[in-house]
Amino acid sequence: MKHAKRVLFFIFFITVLFIAVFFGYDLKTNPYKFLTKNNDLVVEAEAKYIIPGGQTIGVELKTEGILVVGLADIVNTDKVSTSPAKLAGMQIGDKILSIDSIRFEDAEDIIKYTESKGIKDYSITYEREGKIYNCNITPVQIYKSNEIKFGFWARDDIAGIGTVTFVDPETGRFSAIGHGIADADTGKLIDIKTGVISKANITSIKLGKKGEPGEIIGYILRDEKSLGTVENNTNFGVYGNINKNGMNYFKNDLIEVGSKEEMTLGPAEIYSCVNNETKIYNIEVTKIFYQNKPDEKSFVIKIVDDELLGLTNGIIQGMSGCPVVQNNKIVGAVTHVFMNDPTKGYGIYIEWIFNEFNSNEKLEI
């Protein structure tokens, strides 16, 4: 019995050693290689071609509901510090849906409404983590002022600069940014009602430093026609449709979509626009992670292009969404920068973006 166990253990050891030697290089280069030796994972499909992005754009989103981004104490006419909203149970991240059964589009409209109605009991309906709640709040008058306040800060829109990942020439749909847009105050993914993307003008670059991310600084060209509309804000980027005239802005040659199984450690490129011109820059893929479900941190890249390093010191805010290209195929997009080393950052597999992209496609019925 002991002899049989030893023989089985020896066979097992030799098998593991053989696999490690035979597949070792492939596994180190790409963790999917072992699974695809017998084509167990990859299913041959017709090649998909898209227009790679890299263009810096302005993104403007209108939230679904008015977002509570802060709670504040108010010094009332009795010189008492209080927050009616906090006392009523409201929290940061709540979405105000209506007040006195009236839906408001803008935070300013709430101020105008309460100014017209004065101090009274207001019925507020709000959403928190997908559930609907109701509460009654009586605002207070500020000490030595005629203003009345509920004791919360609110926001109804958000704007910023990002990068287009790709445009589908067949449908005119686009993907940008590579990760979801979250509220800076709450950290939660923003539910959007409408949104637009427009051209942006870069005015300067804040260089990335260890512990301090850099940033593309510029402004949205609102005087020009928008490039397209935003339909969805997801964990893996924003999606929408390019306007007919906006398609002229995306002129890069078509490129084939690659799979995560085709990625390897080593040279690659990103398309980026950090100097008001879309260019191709050299990078290195330094790590590839095996993922059996979508995640925005699929692989690690390092900027090695001297020109780009001279402009930015590495990956900076606004470069999220830059397409990653390897062996003439788009394989992913930039998502995050390493806080301790701005030359390095994470990317997401392009197929994770496509999964989300296709699942959010709206069908005409």
Side-chain angles (χ1 to χ4, degrees):
M1 188 68 176
K2 287 183 179 181
H3 179 72
K5 286 183 178 179
R6 287 176 182 175
V7 171
L8 289 174
F9 177 79
F10 179 75
I11 294 173
F12 173 76
F13 178 78
I14 293 298
T15 303
V16 171
L17 185 62
F18 172 78
I19 291 173
V21 171
F22 187 77
F23 294 111
Y25 176 77
D26 281 344
L27 286 172
K28 185 178 180 181
T29 305
N30 186 310
Y32 298 91
K33 292 293 184 182
F34 174 70
L35 297 177
T36 58
K37 284 293 177 182
N38 295 316
N39 294 321
D40 294 330
L41 193 63
V42 178
V43 178
E44 290 296 328
E46 184 179 349
K48 174 72 175 176
Y49 290 86
I50 49 85
I51 303 171
Q55 298 85 357
T56 300
I57 54 166
V59 182
E60 298 176 275
L61 304 177
K62 191 78 173 176
T63 63
E64 185 71 53
I66 297 170
L67 192 66
V68 175
V69 297
L71 297 170
D73 287 331
I74 309 298
V75 179
N76 63 20
T77 53
D78 296 324
K79 299 183 181 181
V80 176
S81 180
T82 183
S83 174
K86 191 187 299 183
L87 293 172
M90 293 195 74
Q91 299 177 11
I92 294 174
D94 290 346
K95 277 192 305 181
I96 298 173
L97 303 178
S98 66
I99 298 180
D100 292 342
S101 298
I102 302 171
R103 295 188 72 89
F104 292 93
E105 299 295 328
D106 301 300
E108 286 293 328
D109 291 338
I110 294 178
I111 295 174
K112 293 176 182 177
Y113 180 72
T114 55
E115 285 178 347
S116 68
K117 296 296 182 179
I119 296 177
K120 73 177 196 72
D121 202 25
Y122 291 86
S123 174
I124 297 181
T125 301
Y126 60 94
E127 181 182 332
R128 179 187 301 160
E129 297 179 352
K131 295 182 179 180
I132 306 299
Y133 297 87
N134 293 281
C135 68
N136 292 318
I137 304 179
T138 302
V140 297
Q141 183 176 336
I142 297 176
Y143 179 65
K144 288 187 177 180
S145 171
N146 292 324
E147 292 184 82
I148 63 173
K149 299 289 183 182
F150 289 103
F152 62 77
W153 296 97
R155 178 182 295 162
D156 53 65
D157 57 17
I158 191 168
I161 288 177
T163 299
V164 172
T165 303
F166 66 83
V167 176
D168 188 333
E170 295 179 2
T171 63
R173 300 184 73 232
F174 74 90
S175 169
I177 301 180
H179 61 73
I181 298 178
D183 187 87
D185 298 288
T186 66
K188 295 182 178 181
L189 195 69
I190 295 174
D191 277 337
I192 66 167
K193 185 175 183 181
T194 59
V196 295
I197 62 169
S198 306
K199 294 179 183 179
N201 186 58
I202 299 170
T203 56
S204 62
I205 296 293
K206 177 185 174 184
L207 297 178
K209 300 178 183 178
K210 184 177 181 179
E212 185 179 345
E215 181 182 3
I216 295 176
I217 299 172
Y219 58 89
I220 300 171
L221 297 174
R222 293 187 174 92
D223 292 337
E224 298 189 22
K225 291 183 178 180
S226 67
L227 295 170
T229 57
V230 180
E231 291 181 351
N232 301 94
N233 175 33
T234 76
N235 288 321
F236 305 134
V238 297
Y239 305 94
N241 294 288
I242 301 297
N243 299 335
K244 186 176 181 181
N245 294 331
M247 287 296 292
N248 296 326
Y249 186 61
F250 303 96
K251 297 180 179 179
N252 292 330
D253 293 335
L254 292 177
I255 190 170
E256 187 177 349
V257 176
S259 67
K260 59 183 182 294
E261 291 82 14
E262 294 176 282
M263 286 192 70
T264 61
L265 299 182
E269 300 90 30
I270 60 170
Y271 288 49
S272 186
C273 174
V274 294
N275 202 20
N276 287 314
E277 180 185 3
T278 304
K279 297 184 69 174
I280 299 175
Y281 297 103
N282 294 319
I283 64 169
E284 292 278 344
V285 178
T286 61
K287 285 185 180 179
I288 299 173
F289 301 119
Y290 174 78
Q291 294 175 338
N292 55 14
K293 63 180 180 179
D295 190 281
E296 61 191 31
K297 296 179 179 179
S298 305
F299 54 89
V300 175
I301 65 170
K302 180 179 175 65
I303 306 296
V304 296
D305 194 288
D306 290 337
E307 182 182 352
L308 184 55
L309 290 171
L311 290 168
T312 64
N313 266 358
I315 300 168
I316 59 176
Q317 293 178 1
M319 287 175 63
S320 295
C322 287
V324 177
V325 174
Q326 190 176 61
N327 298 321
N328 297 315
K329 292 184 179 183
I330 181 170
V331 291
V334 177
T335 58
H336 298 81
V337 61
F338 282 17
M339 288 296 292
N340 63 344
D341 184 354
T343 67
K344 296 180 180 180
Y346 289 106
I348 181 174
Y349 294 132
I350 195 68
E351 59 193 90
W352 292 159
I353 294 178
F354 261 101
N355 288 347
E356 194 78 25
F357 182 79
N358 291 328
S359 67
N360 281 282
E361 185 173 5
K362 293 185 177 180
L363 301 177
E364 185 176 356
I365 299 175

